[in-house]
Amino acid sequence: LLNLEDRIHIADDILKLVSFGAALFVDVGGTTTGQYGDIFSERLYSDVGFGLRFAFPRSTGARVFRIDVAFPLRDGPDGSSSFEIRLLATGGQLFDALLGSEKSGATEVNFAKGTVD
């Protein structure tokens, strides 16, 4: 899985309630139960899109509400077509809003290889 996102801050702390921003993104990911090479030849899916970000800086944990519009770049295994518009509304952030220098504690990275019976 790979996600590239460029965030743009438009207005901070409007009426001391909400901050407003936007994002452009590219997502790429794949999975397989066979050889790793199958991911690149058969099971790699990606999309491009843009979205709006509404942050509530005065809430505990700096909550974010996201509205994204995404365009898949190939037909999906569920019968969906490429460039069929996807509208997503979610809460939370995929990435932490804090800078690396503001964080404390260990950073964790996981990689696993296994078999499926």
Side-chain angles (χ1 to χ4, degrees), residues 5-67:
E5 181 173 293
D6 186 17
R7 297 179 189 167
I8 303 152
H9 293 275
I10 297 171
D12 288 326
D13 219 4
I14 302 168
L15 300 175
K16 297 187 180 192
L17 295 174
V18 65
S19 294
F20 176 68
L24 300 171
F25 60 86
V26 175
D27 300 317
V28 179
T31 184
T32 185
T33 57
Q35 299 294 321
Y36 287 129
D38 292 347
I39 293 173
F40 299 104
S41 63
E42 300 173 14
R43 308 245 184 220
L44 191 65
Y45 295 92
S46 57
D47 63 41
V48 295
F50 59 91
L52 300 175
R53 304 291 183 263
F54 302 93
F56 304 96
R58 300 202 187 286
S59 70
T60 303
R63 305 281 188 235
V64 175
F65 179 68
R66 306 161 44 102
I67 299 174

